[in-house]
Amino acid sequence: METLERIQPNRQVTTFILMVILSQANPAPIRYSVLEETESGSFIAHLTKDLGLEIGELKARSARVVCDDDKQRLLLDRQTGDLLLREKLDREDICGSDEPCVLHFQVFLETPVQFFEGELLIQDINDHSPVFPNREMLLKIPENSQPGTVFPLKLAQDLDVGSNGLQKYTINANSHFHVLTRNHSDGKKYPDLVQDKVLDREEQSEFSLTLMALDGGSPPRSGTSMVRILIMDVNDNAPEFVHTPYEVQVLENSPLDSLILTVLARDVDAGNFGTVSYSLFQASEEIKQTFSINEVTGEIRLTKKLDFEQIKSYHVETEATDGGGLSGKGTVVIEVVDVNDNAPELTISSLISSIPENAPETVVSIFRIRDRDSGDNGKMICSIPDNLPFILKPTFKNFYTLVTDSPLDRESQAEYIITITVTDMGTPRLKTEHNITMLVSDVNDNAPAFTQTSYTLWVRENNSPALHIGSVSATDTDAGANAQVTYSLLPPPDPLVPLASLVSINPDNGHLFALTSLDYEALRAFEFHVGATDRGSPALSSQALVRVLVADTNDNAPFVLYPLQNASAPCTELVPRAAEPGYLVTKVVAVDGDAGQNAWLSYQLLKATEPGLFGVWAHNGEVRTARLLSERDAPKQRLVVLVKDNGEPPLSASVTLHVLLVDGFSQPYLPAPEAEAAAAAPADPLTVYLVVALASVSSLFLFSVLVFVAVRLCRRGGAASAGRCPVAEGHFPGHLVDVSGTGTLSKSYQYEVCLTGDHRTGEFKFLKPIFPNLLVQDNEREIKESPNSRNSFVFS
């Protein structure tokens, strides 16, 4: 079995090789022909028949066409067996000038493998005309040329081959020339022009002939080129100058490349023999450097500056040469005319570049002037601008001295550019300017100046130490070290002010710093002087006033002066049960160490034994009754009043009031047990004084209130009959008094309180209740001042 398996693959390989050999056994290729430029898709041949195959066999055996140049120029229709053109064929592009042009291809059948060689002959068509490389050819022939002379011409190119290629040349009819077509060994055809007659330039100096190239196509194509023949003259005459010698005058200040004159030589010959070129003849080095001549135009131009003082005239020999080598000579005499062409010269002998300001008359520079011209051209005027603090002083011959006219001020002008102008008297006038830069050195003559005579700085109290609170600034118009300013604190006028512990100053930039935390309540403002000293020699200084204002912050809570809140016995206020609403019980007195709105105090009732029985005036701390007292009200009342400032954030303090309700002031007052215990302790003298003073004030106030109440009770009947507060009795409208019903009263009532007609008495009128609609909010009562009158109140 293994032997059979090995033999089977070998047989398959052998069969394939035999098929390939048999497929290549037919050496005769199939040949076809087609004209170039035939349209794509055109029919070439029927391969099925030519290859001896059956119809449909090309498709069944997967036949295809492959060209040798790897370009698919042919197309095989396997269905019909037709060989077609895939694209137009350009013979010149495929084969160039090769003839014949054959395109080799193979027909390949895959199953079984079989090859057929094919050749496609691409036949040329006459699609190209002969073309000359140039549209015009120039031919120069000397007039002494003999008949029969042959002159080769440039050939034309034709991309077609065979009979369609170039065949011959012709030229238009004339009596002097004809053309011959010459075959070259490389197969190309060349034109030769043959002279038929003697030439005479004077009779006819130029010929224009049309050379035509013809191919052998049908119809033939042609190409033309113009042959221009120039008859060259024979040189038999030498050039001659029109004028000799030439004489000309030239200004010595003539610019370079300026035209001196133009020489002219004529030659009766023509063409190259009549063309004259010019040159300098046997010229010296000086003349070669000074003048040049245009070999074509004969223009003589200046190449070096002239100087009348050195050379006054030049003799220049010129030569004219024609194209045949014959030459003629000429002479040019150039006279130099003197002009004012030398500007004045200035030479510095000594120079000082820097002068101290405020110095007396100082010599800045010593210099000399001169002019190389003579006469008026050598006379000079020396000057400087009039607006400078300098003057020129002539010294010896052409020497001048430049000195200061007055002391200089560096702060006004630190640098001067002095232009010294020297002008001669020639025509035209020439001048020379020389700039001298002189610096004014600084002298310490200016003290530092503060930007302000006084500075006001604000700093908020409780600041952090080393806080930058502001700056002072001083400038010095001097320069260098004279302008470097150092700042310092001057001793204060008041030796009690500890300035060294309050502020410090940066000596370099004038920044001020607070050394300690400032307290507005202890020190609200202070001032001191700051000194600014430059580093000149001697040093100059100035001073400025600095005022520091301390801004208040809310750092002090209210402090209650009355009633005192200490270890002593509490003060008890007595209120008669017959007191009317608005009865002044006492007044809370408080102070705040801050200032401004931080010290604005407001009072508020926080807690009360009987809510609604008492109210606190928000702005002055007066504690008043808010309603009539009843028998059901407890005899002992305890009130807590909150005192709050208007700072941000607000600070507050509270005070406790003890109020005892009595039937009359004759009722004996029994102190509370805690008061008896406090009485045993020794009293503080200051507390005793305050209590005695406040008790006196309260007693006097209560007495006034009793008198006022008695008078009002007498008038109450008349007021009650009126029913309301008449507006006509005074200038102020009535206001309402709110009395809460949270105490002994079962309802809330609203009373109207009005001033009497006499605004000087400040008396109240109490009327009957109007309607019960008052609200109680958080058991707090606020006494609000009426916006229309200071003597009208609303109790809430």
Side-chain angles (χ1 to χ4, degrees), residues 4-296:
L4 293 176
E5 289 177 357
R6 292 178 180 175
I7 294 172
Q8 186 68 24
N10 293 334
R11 288 179 179 178
Q12 293 178 357
V13 173
T14 305
T15 303
F16 177 79
I17 295 173
L18 289 174
M19 291 178 64
V20 172
I21 295 173
L22 290 174
S23 66
Q24 297 177 352
N26 186 10
I30 54 176
R31 294 183 175 87
Y32 304 102
S33 65
V34 66
L35 294 176
E36 66 171 329
E37 303 297 335
T38 301
E39 294 294 330
S40 61
S42 298
F43 175 79
I44 298 176
H46 189 67
L47 288 182
T48 302
K49 179 180 179 181
D50 294 342
L51 296 178
L53 302 175
E54 298 296 332
I55 297 176
E57 188 175 357
L58 291 176
K59 181 178 180 181
R61 298 179 63 180
S62 300
R64 55 180 175 173
V65 177
V66 179
C67 297
D68 284 356
D69 57 358
D70 296 330
K71 294 183 180 179
Q72 288 300 110
R73 305 180 188 272
L74 303 178
L75 179 64
L76 175 61
D77 189 346
R78 291 186 290 189
Q79 188 70 30
T80 62
D82 294 337
L83 182 64
L84 307 175
L85 282 177
R86 182 183 292 273
E87 61 183 18
K88 279 186 178 183
L89 301 179
D90 186 358
R91 193 203 66 81
E92 289 75 25
D93 180 56
I94 296 174
C95 298
S97 60
D98 295 340
E99 183 64 19
C101 181
V102 178
L103 178 64
H104 296 274
F105 66 93
Q106 295 84 34
V107 179
F108 171 59
L109 283 68
E110 292 186 1
T111 55
V113 176
Q114 189 174 4
F115 290 91
F116 295 95
E117 289 289 337
E119 295 179 356
L120 179 62
L121 176 64
I122 304 175
Q123 299 178 355
D124 183 50
I125 63 173
N126 193 23
D127 57 345
H128 293 88
S129 299
V131 177
F132 285 96
N134 302 106
R135 298 183 61 183
E136 181 177 326
M137 290 181 280
L138 179 63
L139 187 62
K140 296 181 180 180
I141 301 176
E143 64 176 333
N144 58 356
S145 177
Q146 298 300 316
T149 304
V150 178
F151 303 98
L153 300 178
K154 294 181 180 179
L155 78 163
Q157 295 287 339
D158 194 332
L159 297 180
D160 295 325
V161 296
S163 61
N164 294 326
L166 179 63
Q167 299 298 321
K168 64 177 180 178
Y169 297 92
T170 62
I171 198 169
N172 61 307
N174 65 93
S175 60
H176 289 80
F177 301 95
H178 72 275
V179 68
L180 293 177
T181 302
R182 176 168 48 89
N183 294 322
H184 199 267
S185 59
D186 58 2
K188 296 182 180 180
K189 299 181 183 297
Y190 290 84
D192 288 336
L193 185 67
V194 181
Q195 182 180 344
D196 296 332
K197 188 179 179 181
V198 175
L199 302 176
D200 187 358
R201 189 196 64 82
E202 287 74 23
E203 181 182 345
Q204 188 174 355
S205 60
E206 182 177 345
F207 294 88
S208 293
L209 305 177
T210 301
L211 178 65
M212 179 180 295
L214 296 172
D215 60 18
S218 180
R221 290 175 173 264
S222 63
T224 61
S225 176
M226 181 66 66
V227 179
R228 185 182 173 195
I229 302 174
L230 298 179
I231 308 303
M232 306 304 296
D233 186 36
V234 175
N235 187 25
D236 53 356
N237 293 282
E240 293 183 0
F241 281 95
V242 177
H243 300 288
T244 185
Y246 289 92
E247 294 182 356
V248 64
Q249 291 183 338
V250 182
L251 298 176
E252 65 171 329
N253 63 345
S254 297
L256 296 179
D257 201 41
S258 59
L259 179 64
I260 304 299
L261 82 159
T262 302
V263 295
L264 178 61
R266 293 177 179 173
D267 194 318
V268 295
D269 292 325
N272 187 40
F273 298 134
T275 302
V276 178
S277 61
Y278 301 93
S279 62
L280 299 178
F281 180 72
Q282 295 182 353
S284 63
E285 287 299 324
E286 179 67 27
I287 292 178
K288 289 180 181 180
Q289 295 176 5
T290 308
F291 304 100
S292 66
I293 187 169
N294 189 303
E295 63 178 9
V296 177

Side-chain angles (χ1 to χ4, degrees), residues 430-495:
L430 301 178
K431 69 177 180 180
T432 297
E433 293 182 349
H434 185 82
N435 292 329
I436 294 177
T437 300
M438 194 209 67
L439 302 178
V440 182
S441 59
D442 186 52
V443 174
N444 192 26
D445 56 348
N446 291 279
F450 281 93
T451 56
Q452 300 173 214
T453 56
S454 63
Y455 297 83
T456 301
L457 307 178
W458 285 87
V459 58
R460 190 169 294 277
E461 67 171 329
N462 302 324
N463 59 285
S464 59
L467 176 67
H468 177 240
I469 61 175
S471 301
V472 296
S473 178
T475 58
D476 196 317
T477 56
D478 292 324
N482 297 331
Q484 296 178 3
V485 179
T486 302
Y487 302 91
S488 62
L489 297 178
L490 300 181
D494 185 1

Side-chain angles (χ1 to χ4, degrees), residues 526-539:
F526 62 95
E527 60 184 27
F528 55 90
H529 286 84
V530 175
T533 306
D534 60 25
R535 297 184 180 180
S537 180

Side-chain angles (χ1 to χ4, degrees), residues 310-329:
Q310 294 183 358
I311 300 176
K312 295 180 172 55
S313 65
Y314 295 89
H315 290 265
V316 180
E317 296 293 331
T318 60
E319 182 180 26
T321 305
D322 61 18
L326 299 179
S327 62
K329 305 297 186 296

